[in-house]
Amino acid sequence: MPELILTLVLIVAIIVVLALFFSFVPIGLWISATASDVKIGLFQLVAMRIRKVVPSRIVNPMIKATKAGLTISHNKLEAHYLAGGNVDRERFWQEVLEPLRRGADTI
């Protein structure tokens, strides 16, 4: 009987730890970014969470930019977001695309 209780407590503890892990580490977002050829690591996504940045607010615009053929640093997008900018607005992307059309390779 004590072995059964210990086993159940262990199973519940493992489930709780896994739930906390998957709620903090955005595995699905990382898979989607990797499938879209966006170069961002799991540790960078966790670091965004630690800095109180919503990773999807940075990664989704990076996916859009990569699909449009642009190379944009996640550090610059994150800095813009932390400064209060909206990285997903059309006006922002027009301002980003303009220098690239004039010949700049990266922003």
Side-chain angles (χ1 to χ4, degrees):
M1 186 67 164
E3 294 86 18
L4 180 63
I5 294 173
L6 181 62
T7 304
L8 288 175
V9 168
L10 186 61
I11 290 172
V12 169
I14 290 172
I15 290 172
V16 168
V17 167
L18 285 175
L20 287 172
F21 175 77
F22 285 120
S23 69
F24 195 71
V25 179
I27 299 284
L29 186 62
W30 177 76
I31 290 171
S32 136
T34 303
S36 300
D37 290 330
V38 173
K39 307 293 187 248
I40 193 159
L42 271 175
F43 181 73
Q44 292 166 332
L45 295 174
V46 170
M48 285 182 196
R49 289 261 171 122
I50 292 170
R51 289 188 293 266
K52 305 288 188 212
V53 174
V54 181
S56 64
R57 301 277 298 187
I58 303 301
V59 175
N60 289 336
M62 284 183 66
I63 291 172
K64 286 181 188 177
T66 302
K67 292 299 179 183
L70 306 176
T71 304
I72 296 178
S73 165
H74 70 87
N75 289 329
K76 292 190 178 190
L77 277 178
E78 189 175 350
H80 180 70
Y81 177 80
L82 287 172
N86 188 350
V87 296
D88 205 21
R89 285 182 43 195
E90 288 299 318
R91 182 174 167 212
F92 171 75
W93 285 107
Q94 289 171 355
E95 293 169 3
V96 166
L97 289 174
E98 219 30 62
L100 291 169
R101 287 185 185 138
R102 288 180 281 180
D105 287 336
T106 59
I107 293 178

